[in-house]
Amino acid sequence: MKRILLALALCAAACKPSGDAPQSPKGSVIVLGQLIDRTGSIATPSWAESIRLAVAHANQVLKQSGKTVRFEVAEANSGNAPEMARAGALQLVKQQNAKAIITDSSQDDIGVNMLNYDGDASHQLDVPIVCMACTSPAIDNPQAQDADPVKQAALRNGKGWNFRTTMSDAYQARMVVHMLVSAGQRGDVNGDGKFKLSIYASDDPYGHGFSDAIKGDALKAHPGAIIEQIYHDVKANPAEYDWAADVAKVTDKKSHAKADALPDAVVEITFPKFSVGFTKAFLASGSKVRLVHTHNFRAARIIETLKASVEGQEGTSQAVLGEGTAAQAFTEDLKASTGQPPAFRDAAAYDAAMTVMLAALQAAERRHLPDAGLVSGAEIRDAMRAINDAKGERVSAGTAGVARALELIAAGKPLDYQGASGPCNFDERGDVVAQLARFQVQGGKFVDVDRFDCLKDPSCPQVHERAEGR
Amino acid sequence: MEFDRQDLSWKARHDRRAPSRGAGRLIVALAFLAAAAVAAQVESSPSRIARAKVTVTVAATPDAP
């Protein structure tokens, strides 16, 4: 009964038809700009639902505590296309008065953040950008290099606008390499005396960044390794693309037409829409080479499309959830709200919204603003780390945790937000660290078969307890 | 395999090619001690106008019960 009531409450809060003005008696509104893919290659409806849940949680607590400020979501479709994402960001900030942008992929995040560095004053967003599905190791990297000075500046994040609630692929790359080189004779599983790894990736910042990180780590782990990198056009029509031809390239005894050796493994790095085509062609080819997927394979559409054919397929990803009360509260409320358990990146989407909202409230309180709705993007940015004070009281995701967070903020006491996806401790770059997982498709579901804790140690040691299937 | 904390990567143990006897072993030991002592101290420019059509919908999230 309690769950049903909670579901009704959340629906009333989050599912009201768009176009209505927020009901904040004599109060103000802080707008969050949701700039995620609704129609493109990574569109995942549950991400938006998770953001709505976070906003519903915050507004519920604000009402109960007698505060008059409320949060509101203004939405634009990124399309997982940088040009579209940039146009959406400008509309959200300049026309909808969004005080923060929550976006998705690496290319969208980079494209949007470039607006802050292109020298055009009318493009300057001046609001924090929090991406929840951008994993390129080049993002938030002070040493990032790029031929385009604007892009390089955005990658280096010198103005500090960029944050992410998902881990850099640098961690996952190390884990993939360790897993592959630990198999057979230092990675040589086909017994030809060589370790050859073929990496198939999307031709975009995410694909290149992740592929290059794996290559670099593989050469450190096995200096004599043969690494082949093949990329596909991210603007290709997946229904018409010749996936079989690319499968043939990554599984043959050549690297870029030069004869060498049969690969011991193929690592696939692309978006779900493309992963469907590549995986289908790979399985149809009958190749015996080990195929290792990465995090974007972990999408509902993969199993919905490929069904039983992907049973047993394996891959690596960030863990779907963090640990403890925060993950539990998020899971229960999302299930109550949508009827579905959390999907991959749902927790990161929730945390992106929640960290921004807590930072906004924290900034308004610390600056003694008469109206929290007057908080600026810069003030929110500057407070993003203040909600993760290691000396502060730990507060979890979910209404109980948010209620306690508001009490602490009002009392001027430090707090340490524990997110649904992990601790969400933004480092000096704007990055977070969480847990990784090795997953497998079992019984038509993605199941974590091993977890690796990068919070305890940068080597991401395995967590020695069998992870629950999710 | 062992994790190299200097460059955050996994490396094969035998790739370190540590001398196994005599002066080589002493040199490695001294190098190790020195390292331990040190450790103890220690996309295209967006200037053009965006062309994509964007639909912005305001999804209100008013007072929750």
Side-chain angles (χ1 to χ4, degrees), chain A residues 12-224:
Chain A
C15 308
K16 198 165 181 178
S18 58
D20 288 2
Q23 307 296 307
S24 175
K26 295 175 189 171
S28 57
V29 165
I30 299 172
V31 178
L32 306 184
Q34 175 189 296
L35 182 59
I36 62 174
D37 185 10
R38 303 293 260 169
T39 53
S41 57
I42 55 166
T44 308
S46 60
W47 294 351
E49 287 160 359
S50 300
I51 291 170
R52 294 291 189 284
L53 180 67
V55 173
H57 279 170
N59 283 343
Q60 183 181 342
V61 171
L62 284 166
K63 184 182 182 187
Q64 286 167 351
S65 59
K67 305 279 185 190
T68 53
V69 67
R70 298 290 184 270
F71 290 97
E72 178 186 324
V73 177
E75 180 185 346
N77 180 8
S78 78
N80 192 20
E83 283 291 316
M84 194 166 166
R86 276 196 282 264
L90 287 167
Q91 288 206 23
L92 288 169
V93 173
K94 308 292 183 187
Q95 293 176 22
Q96 302 293 322
N97 196 29
K99 295 288 176 67
I101 295 286
I102 297 167
T103 193
D104 45 26
S105 70
S106 296
Q107 58 180 346
D108 287 347
D109 176 73
I110 296 165
V112 172
N113 197 21
M114 283 168 70
L115 292 168
N116 290 313
Y117 298 90
D118 68 5
D120 184 336
S122 69
H123 287 173
Q124 188 74 25
L125 296 174
D126 290 339
V127 301
I129 303 160
V130 186
C131 63
M132 38 64 63
C134 62
T135 56
S136 171
I139 293 174
D140 295 346
N141 183 349
Q143 276 85 47
Q145 301 280 336
D146 197 276
D148 179 346
V150 175
K151 186 175 176 185
Q152 179 172 293
L155 291 170
R156 293 184 174 190
N157 194 25
K159 296 181 181 176
W161 292 115
N162 204 59
F163 298 86
R164 52 180 165 183
T165 52
T166 187
M167 279 171 85
S168 161
D169 284 328
Y171 293 87
Q172 200 182 152
R174 292 205 290 267
M175 180 191 154
V176 169
V177 167
H178 189 219
M179 185 174 90
L180 295 177
V181 179
S182 297
Q185 292 294 315
R186 295 180 59 216
D188 173 22
V189 292
N190 58 23
D192 64 359
K194 296 173 181 170
F195 171 51
K196 178 181 172 184
L197 173 61
S198 290
I199 309 171
Y200 186 70
S202 52
D203 189 2
D204 75 320
Y206 151 65
H208 278 270
F210 198 174
S211 178
D212 288 345
I214 290 178
K215 179 182 178 181
D217 283 338
L219 289 172
K220 284 175 186 168
H222 193 311

Side-chain angles (χ1 to χ4, degrees), chain B:
Chain B
M1 298 286 289
E2 61 187 339
F3 192 67
D4 185 330
R5 287 168 196 286
Q6 296 301 311
D7 67 356
L8 299 176
S9 65
W10 289 93
K11 290 181 176 169
R13 282 178 192 274
H14 68 273
D15 276 352
R16 295 187 170 245
R17 294 184 176 88
S20 58
R21 65 173 86 90
R25 183 184 279 179
L26 181 63
I27 290 166
V28 169
L30 287 170
F32 180 78
L33 281 171
V38 170
Q41 287 179 37
V42 214
E43 198 136 297
S44 61
S45 172
S47 55
R48 61 180 185 249
I49 297 166
R51 298 177 301 260
K53 186 186 173 190
V54 175
T55 304
V56 177
T57 55
V58 176
T61 48
D63 282 2

Side-chain angles (χ1 to χ4, degrees), chain A residues 297-298 303 310-316 437-450 466 469-470:
Chain A
F297 184 78
R298 202 169 180 158
I303 289 180
V310 288
E311 188 70 13
Q313 290 292 303
E314 64 169 341
T316 60
R438 185 172 72 85
F439 67 83
Q440 203 167 41
V441 181
Q442 293 179 4
K445 289 180 180 173
F446 294 107
V447 175
D448 284 356
V449 289
D450 292 309
R466 197 163 175 82
R470 296 189 176 101

Side-chain angles (χ1 to χ4, degrees), chain A residues 2 55 67 93 98 269 281 361 366 397 433 457:
Chain A
K2 202 175 171 184
V55 173
K67 305 279 185 190
V93 173
I269 302 166
L361 296 171
R366 286 195 173 180
V433 179
D457 191 288

